[in-house]
Structure formats: structure tokens, C-alpha cells
Amino acid sequence: MKILIAEDDASIAEAYKDALETRNHEIIVTENGEECLRKYQIETQHMQELPPLIGEHKQRSHRYDARTKRKITAPFDVVILDYKMPKKDGLQVAKEIFEINPTQRVIFASAFVQDTLVDSVKYLKRVVELMQKPIGLQQLIDTVEDKEAFEALSKLIASIRKIKDPDSTNKDIQNLFQNVRRIQKYRTY
């Protein structure tokens, strides 16, 4: 997997990088939101400049996972964003990434996961994966490598519509929070 990490604490970023590299993932680390977004845009541009495969339409560039031979339509398999960062916070970065690629998998690392969940629903109009800081390195690996959770979260869009309703209650938000926890197998918070 190719993973982009935005984390302003250098020791935490290095720990994430080391743990994920032991699983043979390709890691790019950035220290703030602006740098993360710049790397994402560069990688997206690079994908668009790759020559098409034989028989593929010229405007559709994709990269392929060498192990699984599956088509990857995003420059990164996963983007891990610290929720609170200098220059641009994780929420702002995620919003701009989703404008570029609405199907990008994003995981927020936050000490305040419930607030992060509510903010992501209200600001991004979607549920994203969450990890409670401090994050155990095995939890990080398990979450990144668990594609089932990402697919299940994608199906929670209907729940978001209810929360966006002005008459939504705190109970609606709590139910969404519990569903996200269940999908992520109570691993991270």
C-alpha cells in the first residue's frame, strides 16, 4: 500500500512510518496540512501524466498494485491525517482531498474522536475512519490494512443524511458514533 501521513509531531510520525514500513507499505510523511495537500496534488498530477496501458483510454491513468494487480484510482491507498495540525488542519486537508478525489480513503488520528466524527459529518458530509490518540502501532497497522471497515463506512451515508437534518438529536450522533466503533471493531477507541 502507498500511504500518505500528515502528523506534526515528528516522533509520532516516525513511529507510524516505521510500523507501517515493517509491513512493506510505501510511506510518505508530511509535517503539516499544507505540505500534505501539496504532496497529494503532486502525486495526483503524476498519475495523470503516466502513459495509459495498452487498450486503455488515454485520459484514464491508473496505477496498479504489484501484488494484487488491482487498479488503484487514487494516488494513495490511505491518507492518515492528524486532526489538529499547523497551517491547515486535518478537516481542511480532507475537504480539499475529497474535492480532488471523492473516493480517497482518509483516516483521522485524533484525541477527540467524537468531536472529529461530528465535525467530519457536518463539514465533509461523510463519515471517515477514526483512530483515538494515542494510537497503538498494532492498532494502526490493523486499521490501515482493514479494507472491510472502509467499505462498511462508505455505506453509512444514509445515516449522515439524518444527522444533517436540523431536527437531528444528540442520540442520532451517538448512534452514528456507535456504528463507526462497531465497524472499526472497537479497535481504536
Side-chain angles (χ1 to χ4, degrees), residues 110-174:
S110 174
F112 309 99
V113 292
Q114 190 164 355
D115 293 340
T116 304
L117 176 64
V118 170
D119 289 348
S120 72
V121 169
K122 291 188 180 207
Y123 187 70
L124 301 174
K125 312 288 189 266
R126 66 178 65 218
V127 175
V128 295
E129 291 174 85
L130 304 167
M131 291 187 298
Q132 172 95 41
K133 282 185 162 184
I135 299 166
L137 297 179
Q138 188 58 52
Q139 292 171 325
L140 173 69
I141 291 167
D142 291 346
T143 300
V144 165
E145 293 180 351
D146 185 358
K147 294 180 183 94
E148 290 174 18
F150 173 63
E151 291 167 7
L153 283 171
S154 299
K155 294 176 183 174
L156 282 179
I157 299 302
S159 298
I160 295 173
R161 289 188 189 110
K162 186 174 183 179
I163 290 173
K164 288 179 2 187
D165 186 319
D167 296 327
S168 68
T169 65
N170 198 24
K171 182 146 177 83
D172 295 327
I173 293 170
Q174 287 292 332

Side-chain angles (χ1 to χ4, degrees), residues 59-110:
Q59 292 183 345
R60 293 184 59 200
S61 296
H62 303 283
R63 69 184 170 87
Y64 286 79
D65 185 301
R67 290 174 302 183
T68 64
K69 307 290 187 226
R70 71 177 177 83
K71 191 183 304 184
I72 300 170
T73 58
F76 296 94
D77 296 288
V78 180
V79 177
I80 300 172
L81 298 173
D82 185 2
Y83 189 66
K84 300 281 187 193
M85 291 185 290
K87 298 189 179 179
K88 279 191 182 199
D89 68 25
L91 201 58
Q92 293 168 314
V93 173
K95 184 175 189 328
E96 291 187 45
I97 285 174
F98 290 139
E99 288 171 0
I100 296 167
N101 182 355
T103 63
Q104 177 62 60
R105 182 178 180 200
V106 171
I107 301 173
F108 278 118
S110 174

